[in-house]
Amino acid sequence: MIQSTSPTHKRGLWSSRLGFIMASAGSAIGLGNIWKFPYITGMHGGGAFVLFFIFCIVTVGIPLMIAEMIIGRHTRKDPVGAFRKLNQGRWVLAGWLGIIAGFLILSYYCVIAGWAVNYLWLALQGTFTPEHAAKVPQLFTGLLASDVRQLFWQAVFMGMTVFIVIGGVKSGLERANKIMMPVLFMILVILATMGLRSPGGTTALSFLFSPDWSKLDPPAMLEALGHAFFSLSLGMGAMLTYGSYAEEKTSIPNVAVTVCFMDTLVALLSGLAIFPIVFTYGMEPAAGPGLVFKTLPILFSQMPGGVLIAVLFFLLLVFAALTSSISLLEVVVAYYCDENKWGRKKATLIMGGIIFLVGVPSALSNSMLKDLHFIGGRNFLDSIDFLCTNYILPLGGLFIAIFTGWALTRGLAKGELEKGAVRFHLYPAWHFLIKYVSPVLVALVFLNKAGFF
Ligand code: PFF
């Protein structure tokens, strides 16, 4: 049996398989599922995009999640330390890319999650009622135009993230996930059931599931692949870090498949909660990033019981965001604790503070900095998101896939995969996917994007 070589007790472990699943599903299920998946699906025309997204999850997502988790558990290290330990530094770049991605993604993630906390606050005050309906459309524009409000809510959200991460693996991360994830599922099932029973339910179903392949152009494919990475928290070592806290007896393929299934289910359920409302009220599904902050609140304020539904929806959004943001911060904190031997509290406070500051331009990107345009005319926040989702995560994933498929020995991989006394009969299929299919798919999408064919 392969022994882990660093003392696990110092780093912390999940208390059980369930704790590991909840935490990893918590990381995967986030703004990506509830805020982003519905709006990009809307923009790319529905069904065909959804099916290609699921194809990416099965062929690239699941194999890669397994790969990250086995590397993490085998080395019991942060992403940089893990690659250093396995390959004397040659692949450390992949780990570094992960830490940088964690930094960058969390910086703007807190801004968007801050909007969600603000909306939860507004919903709790009963803002989304018919009497206020006329004012609702301006709420989002007003929020985006206000530097102070955005910075305030960004800080509140970062404060919540730091608070949980300081608590450590078991009493911070695991406990928070075990409380928030079941609530999140319950709310989502209630909202999706209501959606399906509403007049727009059938239109939403056919929008989400009947493919019009002519809409699946190369930009849509790149977006679907990038989103599979983002949504499953892959390509930056988050699952590697969570894997490093897994018990020896847990079967990793089992956990990875469960997490990918849960993540896809939540994305689809979010679509089933949101699109029926959009169609019932005859709104535009391609409303873009404003879909859940602009379009939905207008509808909440017009529908019966909308106040309660708004509270539930934004609570769902905040919980989903929080269970993901803690994993983003954990990647960075794990690096400073493992490699620089910092204490958890010091690493969390300092890095939380720095990442907040890095996020300030994102918070101001719709107000003070609105005239600054970067990639393809996007503002600062959207540019960083575009860069991370479409390039850094897939590139990180490409490295990890190549490393696992070509550099990791069969004995090591198979040993990790079969811990927990579960024979992994699908080893040849997994190895084929991680060695050939994942790298080729990612490379093809990159080359296509770069205009090679
Ligand atoms: N998976 C999260 C979401 O869908 O919102 C975002 C995310 C979290 C990406 C953690 C990457 C990561 F490491």
Side-chain angles (χ1 to χ4, degrees):
M1 181 161 120
I2 296 152
Q3 290 295 329
S4 53
T5 35
S6 72
T8 53
H9 57 273
K10 268 207 224 137
R11 305 181 73 247
L13 281 181
W14 308 117
S15 66
S16 62
R17 176 174 172 272
L18 181 71
F20 180 26
I21 291 181
M22 284 296 185
S24 311
S27 169
I29 296 166
L31 291 174
N33 302 60
I34 300 165
W35 164 70
K36 200 165 175 192
F37 174 76
Y39 95 69
I40 54 177
T41 300
M43 284 175 27
H44 292 293
F49 179 83
V50 173
L51 291 178
F52 187 71
F53 173 67
I54 295 177
F55 172 77
C56 294
I57 292 205
V58 174
T59 52
V60 184
I62 297 180
L64 202 60
M65 187 176 290
I66 294 179
E68 283 204 22
M69 286 176 170
I70 61 172
I71 294 175
R73 184 169 65 183
H74 180 71
T75 56
R76 302 261 177 227
K77 289 266 182 208
D78 66 287
V80 171
F83 286 105
R84 190 174 284 151
K85 189 166 167 176
L86 283 171
N87 217 272
Q88 288 98 41
R90 287 219 317 268
W91 290 86
V92 163
L93 182 65
W96 272 111
L97 213 59
I99 310 292
I100 294 168
F103 234 87
L104 292 178
I105 296 178
L106 186 56
S107 74
Y108 72 83
Y109 207 80
C110 284
V111 175
I112 301 163
W115 302 343
V117 187
N118 183 197
Y119 269 68
L120 175 61
W121 178 244
L122 291 171
L124 284 167
Q125 289 174 318
T127 307
F128 305 116
T129 51
E131 303 90 74
H132 295 102
K135 278 194 260 148
V136 169
Q138 286 116 45
L139 280 176
F140 193 53
T141 333
L143 173 63
L144 289 192
S146 164
D147 303 330
V148 180
R149 272 175 63 200
Q150 286 197 85
L151 289 172
F152 173 76
W153 292 108
Q154 178 202 2
V156 168
F157 186 81
M158 180 54 103
M160 302 195 299
T161 305
V162 164
F163 177 77
I164 298 175
V165 174
I166 280 187
V169 175
K170 263 199 200 87
S171 10
L173 303 168
E174 181 170 337
R175 189 157 59 177
N177 277 301
K178 273 186 169 164
I179 297 171
M180 287 189 275
M181 291 306 285
V183 180
L184 182 150
F185 268 106
M186 259 160 39
I187 298 179
L188 197 55
V189 169
I190 295 174
L191 294 178
T193 313
M194 287 177 52
L196 278 176
R197 293 171 62 173
S198 71
T202 13
T203 323
L205 269 180
S206 73
F207 178 73
L208 277 173
F209 296 110
S210 39
D212 171 357
W213 295 107
S214 68
K215 298 227 166 93
L216 194 67
D217 52 7
M221 289 164 93
L222 181 74
E223 183 100 42
L225 182 73
H227 188 64
F229 279 97
F230 185 84
S231 187
L232 295 171
S233 308
L234 293 175
M236 55 154 284
M239 291 301 170
L240 187 156
T241 307
Y242 273 17
S244 77
Y245 305 136
E247 294 174 300
E248 298 285 307
K249 62 175 195 275
T250 307
S251 157
I252 281 181
N254 218 303
V255 170
V257 170
T258 312
V259 171
C260 290
F261 174 77
M262 285 163 79
D263 187 71
T264 314
L265 186 71
V266 168
L268 297 176
L269 284 175
S270 307
L272 291 178
I274 292 171
F275 286 119
I277 311 183
V278 172
F279 289 124
T280 301
Y281 290 87
M283 303 287 268
E284 190 36 60
L291 186 65
V292 309
F293 292 108
K294 217 150 116 190
T295 312
L296 275 190
I298 300 176
L299 309 180
F300 290 149
S301 65
Q302 296 171 0
M303 64 204 283
V307 179
L308 180 65
I309 296 173
V311 170
L312 287 178
F313 181 79
F314 289 112
L315 186 65
L316 168 77
L317 204 56
V318 170
F319 275 9
L322 202 49
T323 53
S324 297
S325 65
I326 55 182
S327 73
L328 286 160
L329 185 54
E330 181 63 23
V331 172
V332 181
V333 166
Y335 168 76
Y336 281 93
C337 292
D338 284 350
E339 304 306 305
N340 293 5
K341 307 289 170 242
W342 286 13
R344 172 170 282 273
K345 193 165 173 189
K346 173 178 165 189
T348 313
L349 285 173
I350 294 183
M351 287 304 129
I354 294 179
I355 295 172
F356 171 80
L357 293 178
V358 175
V360 169
S362 286
L364 306 183
S365 61
N366 288 295
S367 48
M368 196 188 277
L369 305 180
K370 71 174 181 307
D371 295 326
L372 284 186
H373 298 290
F374 301 90
I375 309 172
R378 292 174 175 80
N379 68 20
F380 189 82
L381 188 158
D382 295 341
S383 299
I384 304 264
D385 178 30
F386 181 79
L387 191 73
C388 291
T389 310
N390 289 308
Y391 292 98
I392 301 186
L393 294 185
L395 195 64
L398 183 64
F399 281 158
I400 297 174
I402 295 176
F403 174 78
T404 312
W406 298 83
L408 216 56
T409 64
R410 179 186 162 94
L412 189 154
K414 210 153 187 282
E416 274 305 323
L417 287 164
E418 296 195 337
K419 275 183 181 167
V422 181
R423 289 270 301 143
F424 186 48
H425 297 292
L426 292 174
Y427 178 83
W430 170 77
H431 197 244
F432 179 75
L433 286 172
I434 201 80
K435 189 166 183 170
Y436 302 107
V437 179
S438 311
V440 168
L441 250 178
V442 177
L444 276 182
V445 178
F446 268 136
L447 291 177
N448 186 298
K449 185 73 185 168
F452 280 94
F453 59 88

